[in-house]
Amino acid sequence: MASKTSVYPPEIAISLKELAKLEYLVSDFSLLPRQPVHSVLSGKHASKLRGRGLDFAEVRQYVRGDDVRNIDWKVTARTKVTHTKVFTEEKERPAFIIVDQSSSMFFASQGTVKSVIAAQIAAIGGFKVLKAGDRIGGIVFDDNSYESVRPKRSRKTLMHFLEQLSLKNQALPQRESIQSKQDIINKVLFHAQNSITHDYVVVVISDFLNLNQDGRRYLTNIARHNDLINIIISDPLEMDLPEIKMPVGDGQNQVLFTGSESVRSRYSELSRQRKQENIDYCLKYGIPVMELNTTEPLVEQIKSIFGKR
């Protein structure tokens, strides 16, 4: 079982108890933004967000103002009177949340580490889905493995998901090495595309570092029949290095970074290029992108994105 309390400050690692406390925030925002989608995109682009789907209810006689696209031409031809199809909103909108808890997420130059921000937004979204009466499930992954929770309309299922999330989150400060997550994220996305059917809200929360063409292909496949939202979590230091000397390492080797202007400039150029590649990919396929950072309080960022009180 996940520890109810954490031995680390909440900015470093978060406990199941702390994740559960975030339920009070669910009334303040919707998982699917109500405002124009380009306001939460990194660029203006039409979204593929479907909202809830529609179930066929009945056929009735056409009245002025009905959507002509819903005219039932077979019934119209048979009765010689124009009829239209009537739809009702689907009662279910399941959600599948994929949360990155790999080594690159255990980082922050100030504020709260990316892995905790990811866990917090996943918990808030999970409680929001459950409150709406929909099924909730997802995948939590680290450098080596992933835990998949099948979507169910159950508080017990959500708490199990949050427990797995807390376990991987609290293991990050104790990890002995740093590894590339390229292989594991591809396995996770491949598993997700084969597990999710259609008309899900799929949320991927990650820094999206090292996402390759295979990973993007899996995301594209998921987005074809579902509402996919990518939440990118970043830290300012990932874009611009300071003009100071500081030690940097990969968990095994360490060097002293001198902060030369040419190195900093090249680093910033490559970082922005990598970020823009992910943004351009999402824009190409109409996938909404939300950006969160480690420096601002999460509640304030949510208010800013969703324009809620």
Side-chain angles (χ1 to χ4, degrees):
M1 295 288 290
S3 173
K4 291 185 178 181
T5 58
S6 176
V7 297
Y8 302 99
E11 297 83 8
I12 301 298
I14 196 163
S15 68
L16 177 60
K17 182 178 180 179
E18 289 164 336
L19 289 176
K21 288 181 179 178
L22 296 171
E23 186 174 4
Y24 81 95
L25 290 173
V26 300
S27 61
D28 285 345
F29 82 106
S30 168
L31 194 60
L32 293 178
R34 304 170 69 92
Q35 60 199 83
V37 173
H38 61 70
S39 64
V40 294
L41 282 171
S42 298
K44 295 186 177 181
H45 191 90
S47 169
K48 291 184 178 179
L49 287 180
R50 301 166 176 81
R52 287 179 180 268
L54 298 175
D55 282 334
F56 172 73
E58 62 178 342
V59 174
R60 62 164 170 76
Q61 194 167 326
Y62 177 87
V63 296
R64 186 176 180 179
D66 285 342
D67 191 336
V68 295
R69 292 173 297 181
N70 292 333
I71 292 176
D72 190 320
W73 295 108
K74 290 184 179 180
V75 176
T76 298
R78 187 172 67 250
T79 62
K80 308 301 182 183
V81 177
T82 305
H83 281 72
T84 185
K85 298 176 181 177
V86 179
F87 298 87
T88 57
E89 191 176 55
E90 285 179 342
K91 291 183 173 58
E92 184 181 58
R93 191 73 167 119
F96 198 85
I97 304 177
I98 301 172
V99 193
D100 185 350
Q101 294 289 289
S102 62
S103 289
S104 71
M105 295 289 287
F106 188 65
F107 177 77
S109 59
Q110 56 182 306
T112 304
V113 296
K114 294 187 289 182
S115 55
V116 170
I117 295 289
Q120 290 174 327
I121 195 66
I124 295 169
F127 283 119
K128 185 67 177 180
V129 172
L130 189 64
K131 184 177 180 180
D134 291 325
R135 287 182 291 151
I136 177 67
I139 297 176
V140 183
F141 71 95
D142 56 19
D143 294 325
N144 303 306
S145 63
Y146 63 88
E147 299 295 333
S148 182
V149 177
R150 186 176 179 181
K152 291 183 180 179
R153 194 180 296 103
S154 161
R155 186 179 184 85
K156 182 178 179 180
T157 297
L158 174 58
M159 296 309 295
H160 175 60
F161 175 73
L162 296 183
E163 179 183 35
Q164 298 304 313
L165 180 52
S166 176
L167 285 170
K168 289 194 179 298
N169 185 271
Q170 293 189 61
L172 275 170
Q174 306 170 35
R175 73 202 189 289
E176 297 180 353
S177 63
I178 299 174
Q179 303 177 36
S180 170
K181 65 184 173 194
Q182 197 169 85
D183 290 340
I184 188 65
I185 194 170
N186 285 345
K187 289 179 180 178
V188 166
L189 295 177
F190 178 77
H191 174 81
Q193 77 162 17
N194 292 324
S195 302
I196 300 167
T197 53
H198 57 82
D199 295 326
Y200 275 69
V201 175
V202 182
V203 183
V204 182
I205 309 171
S206 175
D207 54 15
F208 290 89
L209 298 178
N210 300 319
L211 183 69
N212 62 14
Q213 291 301 320
D214 287 337
R216 292 190 179 112
R217 185 174 72 253
Y218 300 143
L219 286 173
T220 303
N221 292 339
I222 293 171
R224 283 197 180 101
H225 303 292
N226 303 278
D227 288 335
L228 174 63
I229 303 171
N230 287 342
I231 299 180
I232 299 177
I233 303 178
S234 61
D235 182 90
L237 196 61
E238 294 172 331
M239 291 292 109
D240 296 291
L241 293 174
E243 297 183 54
I244 58 173
K245 294 182 179 182
M246 59 181 179
V248 296
D250 60 2
Q252 296 179 332
N253 303 302
Q254 190 175 85
V255 297
L256 182 65
F257 173 71
T258 59
S260 68
E261 183 177 352
S262 60
V263 172
R264 287 188 292 108
S265 177
R266 181 57 176 161
Y267 173 88
S268 296
E269 179 184 348
L270 291 175
S271 297
R272 284 172 169 75
Q273 179 181 336
R274 179 177 58 198
K275 180 178 179 180
Q276 193 59 47
E277 286 176 355
N278 286 331
I279 297 295
D280 290 344
Y281 156 76
C282 292
L283 292 177
K284 179 179 179 180
Y285 292 98
I287 300 171
V289 175
M290 301 181 194
E291 294 188 60
L292 300 175
N293 61 68
T294 60
T295 59
E296 301 174 68
L298 180 60
V299 173
E300 296 304 314
Q301 294 187 67
I302 291 174
K303 289 179 181 178
S304 175
I305 290 173
F306 294 96
K308 302 292 282 185
R309 60 185 182 280

